Amino acid sequence: KPASAPTPEPADARVRALADAYLDGFFERNPDQITGYGVPGRRHDKLPDNSRDALKAWQAREDAWLTQARTIDPATIAAEPLRATYAIVREALEASIAVRVCRGELWTVSQFVNGWQVQDGYTITIQPVGTDEARSDALARWSRLPRYVDVEIANLRDGLKAGYSAPRGNVRLVIDQMDSLIATPTAESPFDSPSVRDKTPAFRQQFDVLVREQIVPAFKRYRDFLEKEYLPAAREAIAVSANPNGAACYDAAVRYHRSLP
């Protein structure tokens, strides 16, 4: 009687390790989401690195994780919850890699939640305060915002050179948003929320100065760039097909947001 083929070793441990590595990497890449999701035991002291070098490094990590995921046979995963975990991680990686064709880092000027000013305008209102560590984290994180804005301007400028832009109507709305943020008194600005909520005099003074002397001037730089340089070059067309590889971007974006082609 011929010997039966050996039963494949369950892949559960490999799936768990892959998922843990991806999740740790995700929060390293998106430290603001630690605050958004209320992840316990983590610091709230960083913003994402929006530089092109950081993006390339992240994409290399995604590629490596997907290569690893493809070596796992789902049929060898014993635990049903881990089969779901594997499917979720693989979909997240495949969708993110596919949507790279959009080059969103080069042209995202948006009045919606994917606009940095909207995302950060919410995150700062839930920034933890009330302890020495929380106050230190708040100052560390939001002192990075001016540099983030300056890198965003550089990315958008490169996007224009490469033929990518946001729709002109969207750009006008973002300019209006920035005008509103610039004109709002410090204590009424969402970006002063940690100071308003904490009540500690020394911290409030430090944070108010940060908002007035660093964050608001960064808003002005961004507004001036959009108004004087970006708006005249922004595309008239609403459809993403007006950008390079626009049709492929549309397909990839549909898949990214709904997990189906």
Side-chain angles (χ1 to χ4, degrees):
K1 181 179 179 180
S4 59
T7 303
E9 179 112 11
D12 297 39
R14 293 177 64 201
V15 171
R16 190 176 290 108
L18 173 64
D20 287 346
Y22 173 72
L23 192 61
D24 284 342
F26 176 86
F27 285 128
E28 183 181 338
R29 170 71 180 155
N30 303 282
D32 53 334
Q33 296 302 307
I34 291 170
T35 307
Y37 286 113
V39 181
R42 304 263 190 155
R43 299 295 295 266
H44 303 265
D45 59 344
K46 293 182 176 66
L47 289 174
D49 184 344
N50 58 335
S51 70
R52 306 274 285 286
D53 286 343
L55 176 61
K56 289 178 183 177
W58 168 249
Q59 290 175 344
R61 296 184 76 183
E62 286 186 315
D63 291 341
W65 284 322
L66 183 57
T67 297
Q68 184 181 346
R70 285 172 171 163
T71 67
I72 297 173
D73 180 358
T76 65
I77 304 171
E80 186 172 351
L82 285 175
R83 289 200 292 272
T85 297
Y86 172 81
I88 291 168
V89 172
R90 182 156 176 173
E91 169 61 25
L93 289 167
E94 288 180 346
S96 180
I97 290 169
V99 86
R100 290 177 192 171
V101 69
C102 294
R103 302 299 307 275
E105 73 277 7
L106 295 178
W107 61 274
T108 299
V109 179
S110 175
Q111 72 274 27
F112 296 117
V113 292
N114 57 325
W116 66 264
Q117 76 285 357
V118 178
Q119 179 67 40
D120 288 346
Y122 168 69
T123 301
I124 200 166
T125 66
I126 58 171
Q127 174 75 35
V129 291
T131 67
D132 287 343
E133 181 177 274
R135 286 186 282 270
S136 175
D137 282 0
L139 287 166
R141 171 179 277 172
W142 298 105
S143 66
R144 291 179 164 92
L145 183 57
R147 181 183 181 278
Y148 183 98
V149 173
D150 290 337
V151 172
E152 197 71 5
I153 291 170
N155 289 343
L156 293 174
R157 189 172 280 133
D158 287 345
L160 290 178
K161 293 175 184 176
Y164 294 87
S165 69
R168 194 166 291 180
N170 294 39
V171 179
R172 290 193 181 98
L173 289 171
V174 175
I175 291 170
D176 289 344
Q177 288 178 334
M178 302 313 299
D179 282 337
S180 178
L181 285 170
I182 292 165
T184 300
T186 300
E188 297 174 21
S189 171
F191 285 88
D192 199 47
S193 174
S195 170
V196 172
R197 290 181 287 116
D198 188 90
K199 309 298 185 185
T200 304
F203 171 75
R204 293 186 70 178
Q205 182 179 9
Q206 279 183 285
F207 208 88
D208 289 351
V209 169
L210 172 62
V211 173
R212 284 196 306 267
E213 297 185 5
Q214 296 185 49
I215 292 178
V216 172
F219 292 165
K220 291 178 180 176
R221 291 195 297 275
Y222 187 69
R223 188 272 317 274
D224 290 348
F225 164 74
L226 292 182
E227 192 170 64
K228 298 174 183 176
E229 187 173 339
Y230 197 87
L231 183 63
R235 69 179 195 252
E236 290 282 2
I238 295 173
V240 72
S241 57
N243 276 349
N245 299 310
C249 171
Y250 188 89
D251 289 344
V254 169
R255 188 265 172 89
Y256 178 85
H257 287 289
R258 63 193 294 267
S259 78
L260 294 171

